[in-house]
Amino acid sequence: MLKIIFQFLLAILFIWALAYPFVQSDETDSVDQTTSEQPKKVKKKEKPLHNVTLPKFSEFTDVKEKKRAFFDFIRPHVEAENKKILQQRAKLEIARMMLENNLSLEEKQNKDIVKILKQYGLPETVNTLVLTQALRRVDIIPKEMALMQAANESAWGTSRFAQIGLNFFGQWCYSKGCGMVPKRRNTGAAHEVAAFKSVRAAVSSYFRNINTHGAYKELRGIRENLRREKKPVLATKLTHGLMSYSERGEAYIEELNTMIRQNRAYFDE
């Protein structure tokens, strides 16, 4: 009898020894699973670099309403900038006409012209040659082109750069702290994405970039030729001078022109 009991206990001990590694494994898996299910840290929301209240573009469910809200938000600033430029252009044209007819400019008139020349990075000598150069730069940007570039570059106002820095046109700056550091910036690159305090400042910067930067000389040449031929300054003509605006080149221009054609109904609402 004693021998049977001893054999029974020995059998139980043997079975436990075989099962022990699996018991340990189950406990370890349980601990790992509990650890992996712990909640991740919530990423801190990036604080805007401006005090402007933006429409909640990302919350629109109706595409037409979203587009209308975006255009209504940006359009007044584009139109205001073009109005200012037309006023400057008129002053330049009058001054050039007077000089061509050997008429002297008044002191205030001359000061106004010098101020415009300085703003557009031109020599501050007031003569017909410089005024002709100025008229190539001091000219409108069709609102259709400006609005579609804003929509394209900012993903209809939802991009991080638009939300945080009011940068709707993808403009860069090159001094440390001038804007926002791109998350995918190449190693060794020093540029930042410019940040603005107002939408008008962002739009004005975009206009100044197009009208003064050497990369868009071709665009200004296209516009000047249209003026000389007394043809309308159309957005779909000027976009061909934007090859340097995007690394995508011709594909970018084609996309802009397609967007312009598809959104004509919204431009004048």
Side-chain angles (χ1 to χ4, degrees):
M1 181 67 179
L2 186 61
K3 184 178 180 180
I4 294 174
I5 294 173
F6 178 76
Q7 290 176 340
F8 176 73
L9 291 174
L10 188 62
I12 292 176
L13 181 62
F14 180 74
I15 293 171
W16 179 84
L18 290 174
Y20 180 76
F22 298 98
V23 172
Q24 289 291 87
S25 177
D26 289 343
E27 289 176 353
T28 303
D29 288 346
S30 177
V31 172
D32 289 344
Q33 187 177 5
T34 303
T35 303
S36 65
E37 288 180 354
Q38 289 180 351
K40 295 181 180 179
K41 290 183 179 180
V42 178
K43 190 175 181 181
K44 189 176 181 181
K45 190 175 181 180
E46 197 170 1
K47 186 178 179 181
L49 301 174
H50 58 85
N51 296 318
V52 177
T53 301
L54 294 170
K56 296 180 179 179
F57 296 119
S58 61
E59 295 184 9
F60 282 90
T61 55
D62 185 284
V63 174
K64 291 183 178 179
E65 289 182 5
K66 181 177 182 177
K67 287 184 176 182
R68 192 169 288 113
F70 181 80
F71 288 135
D72 288 348
F73 184 72
I74 300 290
R75 187 193 301 109
H77 303 285
V78 172
E79 291 177 340
E81 194 67 21
N82 273 329
K83 182 178 179 180
K84 182 190 78 173
I85 287 174
L86 286 175
Q87 292 171 345
Q88 292 176 328
R89 186 174 176 82
K91 290 180 180 181
L92 294 171
E93 287 177 327
I94 291 170
R96 185 174 68 170
M97 183 178 64
M98 289 177 67
L99 293 177
E100 287 174 343
N101 288 278
N102 298 317
L103 298 173
S104 299
L105 304 183
E106 295 180 0
E107 184 178 352
K108 183 182 182 308
Q109 186 181 17
N110 193 79
K111 286 183 178 180
D112 288 343
I113 297 299
V114 169
K115 186 177 179 180
I116 295 171
L117 296 176
K118 187 176 181 180
Q119 181 182 344
Y120 284 84
L122 292 165
E124 296 174 28
T125 303
V126 181
N127 56 42
T128 54
L129 178 61
V130 172
L131 293 178
T132 299
Q133 290 178 323
L135 286 167
R136 293 192 192 106
R137 296 190 174 194
V138 186
D139 206 345
I140 64 166
I141 295 174
K143 65 183 176 182
E144 296 87 352
M145 187 179 101
L147 290 173
M148 289 330 311
Q149 280 201 274
N152 187 291
E153 296 290 337
S154 72
W156 295 92
T158 64
S159 72
R160 172 198 171 211
F161 300 131
Q163 293 289 311
I164 303 301
L166 297 178
N167 191 327
F168 294 90
F169 296 94
Q171 299 176 86
W172 289 4
C173 55
Y174 296 90
S175 59
K176 188 174 181 179
C178 63
M180 300 157 283
V181 177
K183 293 179 179 179
R184 297 181 181 178
R185 187 173 66 177
N186 293 333
T187 303
H191 72 275
E192 297 182 12
V193 177
F196 302 95
K197 296 296 184 181
S198 69
V199 180
R200 182 64 187 275
V203 171
S204 295
S205 179
Y206 159 76
F207 269 73
R208 184 167 58 254
N209 185 36
I210 295 295
N211 280 333
T212 63
H213 199 288
Y216 310 112
K217 185 176 180 179
E218 183 181 356
L219 181 148
R220 297 191 292 272
I222 294 170
R223 185 173 59 189
E224 183 183 24
N225 289 335
L226 291 171
R227 290 290 191 191
R228 188 182 296 113
E229 296 169 4
K230 300 188 184 303
K231 294 180 180 179
V233 180
L234 297 178
T236 50
K237 297 291 186 181
L238 264 59
T239 52
H240 293 284
L242 291 174
M243 284 293 290
S244 297
Y245 204 97
S246 169
E247 293 178 351
R248 297 171 56 210
E250 193 65 42
Y252 177 72
I253 292 170
E254 290 178 5
E255 183 176 45
L256 282 180
N257 285 341
T258 298
M259 292 176 72
I260 290 169
R261 287 191 291 270
Q262 291 176 343
N263 290 280
R264 289 193 185 282
Y266 300 95
F267 294 143
D268 296 310
E269 287 188 350

